């Protein structure tokens, strides 16, 4: 797949810097099965746009407040630590105390280079310290986090951390983002970016799914920093796809099997749900998945044969991105790019806090 085929021109003012007034009021572009036919709706219309009895699969990852702002304890220089992935639980000995700690891989930014042994006091309402212990081969810092007061590290990070808004949202996070950059069903901490299609769903919508005979199932895929990694190679085959931890639990594998037995469709809420389901596709039974957890580097681009997902709710994605390639593979790239053209004409809002589209897999 050539990168230059994944391009479109987006007026900067259509990048949503804030969420819609409420989750259900976001717009929904419905791409019909008939080529060239589009419907303009709202997220609140979604239950009526899905087939009765469908299995709706959501990603229940929870976004960490991964941006830690602080100062070097020696010089007072400003430092930003961006947590990428947890490595292990550990401990530190401090002033005769044995304190709980966690080891993380993280990005680090400061006015002067961060040296091994440097300690950063994190700003916030609770005590939290980040100690630099080296760098890994990927260029990420090895960081040990602990609270001198002996608090649990997750609690301290939750209190002191900032919402990791995407780089194209050019503002500081605020109190609203704590709730709105998180799905209502988030429960498994580990993501550094939100599964954004799921940001539109509400408890009321989920109840309406149930009223139409739909079942809700969960997967977990911890969205990593690589979701913002641009494609810099001319051919997607040469793109170094990032690894993301995922889990498809036994109850979801069973729910997929029940849906297939009854001839019902599988609806994925977001590209992360697609990647989790397709990574766990059962090689022996078409349309089924196996319970599985691990890491996935699955790169989906035009030419990929989908084995599990029938319909997809997704936001609008950046040009020249692996996410746009996935959506193009799912519904046909010409069809998707034409839909984007119409969305731009109709002033839809784009990216993480933007509007959404509903697609059916091309046959």
């Amino acid at each position: 797949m050539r990168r230059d085929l994944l391009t479109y021109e987006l007026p900067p003012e259509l990048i949503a810097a804030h969420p819609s007034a409420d989750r259900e009021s976001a717009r929904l572009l419905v791409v019909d099965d008939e080529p060239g036919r589009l419907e303009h709706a709202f997220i609140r219309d979604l239950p009526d746009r899905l087939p009765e009895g469908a299995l709706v699969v959501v990603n229940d990852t929870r976004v960490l407040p991964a941006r830690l702002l602080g100062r070097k304890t020696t010089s007072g220089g400003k430092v930003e630590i961006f947590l990428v992935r947890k490595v292990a639980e550990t401990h530190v000995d401090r002033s005769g105390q044995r304190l709980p700690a966690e080891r993380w891989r993280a990005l680090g930014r400061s006015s002067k280079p961060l040296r091994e042994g440097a300690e950063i006091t994190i700003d916030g309402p609770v005590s939290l310290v980040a100690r630099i212990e080296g760098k890994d081969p990927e260029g990420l810092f090895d960081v040990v986090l602990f609270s001198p007061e002996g608090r649990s590290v997750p609690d301290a990070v939750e209190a002191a951390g900032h919402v990791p808004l995407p780089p194209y949202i050019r503002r500081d996070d605020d109190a609203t983002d704590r709730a709105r950059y998180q799905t209502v069903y988030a429960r498994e901490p580990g993501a550094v970016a939100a599964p954004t299609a799921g940001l539109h769903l509400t408890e009321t919508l989920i109840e309406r799914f149930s009223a139409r005979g739909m079942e809700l199932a969960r997967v977990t895929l911890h969205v990593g920093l690589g979701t913002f990694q641009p494609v810099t190679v001319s051919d997607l085959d040469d793109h170094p796809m990032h690894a993301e931890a995922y889990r498809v639990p036994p109850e979801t594998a069973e729910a997929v099997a029940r849906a297939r037995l009854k001839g019902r469709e599988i609806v994925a809420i977001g590209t992360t749900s697609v990647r989790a389901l397709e990574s766990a596709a059962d090689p022996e039974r078409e349309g089924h998945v196996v319970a599985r957890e691990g890491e996935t580097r699955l790169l989906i681009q035009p030419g990929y044969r989908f084995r599990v997902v029938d319909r997809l709710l997704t936001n609008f994605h950046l040009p020249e991105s692996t996410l746009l390639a996935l959506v193009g593979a799912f519904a046909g790239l010409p069809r998707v790019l034409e839909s984007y053209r119409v969305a731009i004409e109709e002033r839809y809002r784009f990216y993480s806090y933007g509007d959404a589209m509903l697609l059916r897999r091309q046959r």
Side-chain angles (χ1 to χ4, degrees):
M1 178 73 202
R2 283 169 35 201
R3 183 188 67 185
D4 61 0
L5 297 178
L6 298 168
T7 58
Y8 65 91
E9 295 295 328
L10 180 69
E13 66 271 17
L14 295 186
I15 300 174
H18 297 273
S20 54
D22 62 79
R23 295 177 191 262
E24 293 187 26
S25 68
R27 298 171 73 185
L28 177 65
L29 182 63
V30 182
V31 183
D32 198 88
D33 293 344
E34 182 181 325
R37 183 177 171 187
L38 302 171
E39 291 184 56
H40 301 287
F42 294 91
I43 289 293
R44 60 176 172 265
D45 303 317
L46 179 61
D48 300 321
R49 292 296 194 276
L50 297 178
E52 288 191 20
L55 176 66
V56 178
V57 182
V58 300
N59 179 8
D60 65 3
T61 187
R62 186 171 184 81
V63 181
L64 300 167
R67 289 184 66 234
L68 304 178
L69 307 179
R71 295 179 179 274
K72 294 180 183 177
T73 55
T74 53
S75 66
K78 292 183 178 180
V79 179
E80 177 178 340
I81 299 292
F82 192 105
L83 303 177
V84 174
R85 61 178 179 272
K86 181 179 172 181
V87 177
E89 295 183 0
T90 182
H91 69 274
V92 297
D93 294 316
R94 186 91 161 184
S95 303
Q97 290 183 291
R98 189 178 178 87
L99 302 173
E102 291 183 355
R103 187 176 298 277
W104 283 76
R105 296 290 185 266
L107 295 172
R109 184 170 64 181
S110 62
S111 56
K112 294 183 179 179
L114 290 171
R115 307 291 186 188
E116 185 172 343
E119 288 194 353
I120 297 99
T121 300
I122 304 303
D123 301 334
V126 301
S127 65
L128 181 63
V129 171
R131 188 168 67 204
I132 307 297
E133 295 201 342
K135 263 189 176 182
D136 72 4
E138 297 176 342
L140 297 175
F141 287 101
D142 183 5
V143 175
V144 172
L145 297 175
F146 64 93
S147 169
E149 296 175 353
R151 295 175 182 268
S152 79
V153 173
D155 288 349
V157 169
E158 189 67 33
H162 290 257
V163 178
L165 295 177
Y168 45 75
I169 296 180
R170 300 183 183 279
R171 64 173 176 85
D172 293 332
D173 64 308
D174 58 31
T176 302
D177 298 309
R178 282 270 173 168
R180 294 300 302 275
Y181 198 64
Q182 198 81 265
T183 64
V184 298
Y185 43 76
R187 68 181 184 187
E188 299 292 339
V192 299
T196 56
L199 298 180
H200 299 297
L201 269 59
T202 64
E203 296 291 353
T204 301
L205 273 180
I206 292 171
E207 289 173 3
R208 288 176 58 203
F209 289 155
S210 180
R212 285 178 52 81
M214 301 179 204
E215 186 178 356
L216 192 77
R218 297 171 181 256
V219 296
T220 303
L221 186 142
H222 293 314
V223 189
L225 197 62
T227 194
F228 302 121
Q229 181 181 349
V231 177
T232 58
V233 293
S234 59
D235 190 325
L236 256 66
D237 286 344
D238 299 323
H239 177 70
M241 192 65 178
H242 56 284
E244 291 172 317
Y246 80 103
R247 178 173 182 263
V248 176
E251 54 268 29
T252 294
E254 293 164 6
V256 170
R258 286 194 300 273
R260 291 306 182 207
L261 183 64
K262 297 176 182 178
R264 296 177 174 178
E265 293 191 6
I266 310 299
V267 179
I269 304 299
T271 57
T272 59
S273 297
V274 172
R275 291 185 68 234
L277 289 169
E278 294 292 325
S279 295
D282 189 337
E284 304 297 328
R285 296 184 300 166
E286 182 72 21
H288 292 248
V289 297
V290 294
R292 180 179 294 167
E293 63 181 301
E295 286 191 339
T296 180
R297 293 182 180 269
L298 180 62
L299 171 57
I300 296 177
Q301 57 180 306
Y304 177 85
R305 186 177 69 84
F306 287 86
R307 294 171 288 176
V308 182
V309 180
D310 300 302
R311 293 184 193 246
L312 169 63
L313 177 75
T314 185
N315 281 21
F316 296 94
H317 301 291
L318 277 75
E320 300 189 356
S321 66
T322 58
L323 298 180
L324 182 54
L326 184 155
V327 176
F330 189 81
L333 186 58
R335 189 181 186 191
V336 167
L337 291 177
E338 173 60 17
S339 302
Y340 272 46
R341 185 191 65 76
V342 172
I344 291 168
E345 282 185 356
E346 296 293 327
R347 310 298 287 177
Y348 276 66
R349 302 165 75 241
F350 275 59
Y351 305 159
S352 294
Y353 271 151
D355 298 315
M357 61 194 309
L358 179 64
L359 300 154
R360 185 168 182 174
R361 186 179 73 193
Q362 66 176 350
R363 302 299 180 181

